[in-house]
Amino acid sequence: MAATTTIKPLLPLSLSPNKSCSYSIPSSSSFISCNPISDSTATFSLLHSNRPRGQISVSVAFNPLGNFDISMFEDEGNSSKLEPPMPPTEGRFDVVLDNDAIRSLDLSPFHSATGITSPTLAEPKEFLERTIGFTINYTREDPRDPRELSEFPDIRLWFVRLDAAYPWLPVLLDWRAGELARYAAMLVPHQMSMKMGIVFNPEALELFIMNKVFVVYTWFKQHNVQKPRLKTSDMARMLGFGIEDRLFDLVDRESS
């Protein structure tokens, strides 16, 4: 019988904060694992435990300024406030977006900032060192609109198009400044929490991570990047998932 993970969906902000509900979904993957965080230090296992996981609540919170915090907890009341975001990595490639580029699905700001104009021409080594980030200068039609950037359909659609063109992009982002979390928020279903920021749907996040693991690992091997397993696992770990070597073994066996 598959282990289950209890998810506590966030209610609309207009409802009473004392009301809550929960439901369970099956966890079918035997190649990924996620361990609790304690003492503000993230500890993740790259080896999946065969022991059934208990009923726990899972959230991935993201600060729109760029920082994110991953936590697993039994009681929402135990969650701590998000730490201030880390500054952008010095010298990174910075993609600046505005309303016109977003609404016209124009990828030229990405092309001009990074020099990447074709997925077949991109070399990962330089971008792994300098990383890539986004500055989104989005003017709301209503200045009082309380939605975060990841809640605007036109912004999300721009990132969907970008991801379709360059599916390995997450591994090149400025992780320390929270760009990987923001990128995931543009593509993965989530709900907003005034206390925790963005809380992802965990099943959707798992599928997103697995897809990116396959894409990124294959891309690294095509470009002879050193330690492709480690770098791919590091990307998954940033969003709270540990990847078994057994999964990479299967990919290598299929491609040989």
Side-chain angles (χ1 to χ4, degrees), residues 10 60-64 82 148 190-200:
L10 296 173
V60 179
F62 162 70
N63 183 314
L82 294 171
E148 301 296 343
H190 59 269
Q191 293 180 317
M192 295 300 303
S193 165
M194 294 184 68
K195 188 172 186 179
M196 294 178 292
I198 292 177
V199 181
F200 290 108

Side-chain angles (χ1 to χ4, degrees), residues 17-222:
N18 295 326
K19 297 180 180 179
S20 63
C21 59
S22 64
Y23 61 95
S24 296
I25 60 174
S27 179
S28 57
S29 173
S30 61
F31 300 110
I32 66 176
S33 61
C34 184
N35 289 342
I37 291 177
S38 60
D39 298 330
S40 301
T41 302
T43 57
F44 302 95
S45 172
L46 293 178
L47 297 177
H48 174 75
S49 173
N50 292 324
R51 294 177 297 175
R53 286 186 289 180
Q55 300 289 325
I56 54 178
S57 299
V58 180
S59 79
V60 179
F62 162 70
N63 183 314
L65 294 177
N67 188 39
F68 71 99
D69 170 66
I70 302 173
S71 59
M72 301 180 66
F73 50 88
E74 302 256 351
D75 184 0
E76 287 188 12
N78 293 334
S79 59
S80 58
K81 294 182 179 180
L82 294 171
E83 296 294 329
M86 295 285 289
T89 298
E90 185 176 356
R92 77 179 188 182
F93 297 94
D94 199 37
V95 181
V96 181
L97 301 176
D98 58 19
N99 291 56
D100 291 339
I102 290 168
R103 289 173 179 169
S104 61
L105 294 178
D106 180 11
L107 298 185
S108 62
F110 175 81
H111 298 154
S112 59
T114 65
I116 300 175
T117 57
S118 169
T120 60
L121 300 178
E123 291 289 339
K125 295 180 181 179
E126 178 183 5
F127 296 97
L128 286 170
E129 294 176 359
R130 290 184 57 181
T131 72
I132 299 172
F134 295 89
T135 298
I136 304 177
N137 298 323
Y138 186 79
T139 303
R140 294 165 167 80
E141 293 182 0
D142 181 356
R144 297 171 297 178
D145 192 331
R147 289 179 295 174
E148 301 296 343
L149 295 177
S150 63
E151 296 181 280
F152 285 88
D154 50 348
I155 299 179
R156 300 191 73 174
L157 187 61
W158 189 92
F159 277 91
V160 168
R161 189 188 178 205
L162 180 69
D163 187 72
Y166 308 100
W168 32 255
L169 183 58
V171 78
L172 305 181
L173 297 177
D174 187 2
W175 297 351
R176 69 188 295 272
E179 291 291 342
L180 178 58
R182 177 160 69 172
Y183 191 89
M186 297 297 178
L187 302 174
V188 178
H190 59 269
Q191 293 180 317
M192 295 300 303
S193 165
M194 294 184 68
K195 188 172 186 179
M196 294 178 292
I198 292 177
V199 181
F200 290 108
N201 176 305
E203 189 174 41
L205 184 62
E206 179 178 307
L207 292 173
F208 172 79
I209 287 295
M210 292 305 299
N211 175 270
K212 295 309 175 186
V213 164
F214 292 134
V215 169
V216 167
Y217 181 61
T218 302
W219 188 58
F220 276 166
K221 293 189 66 179
Q222 291 172 346

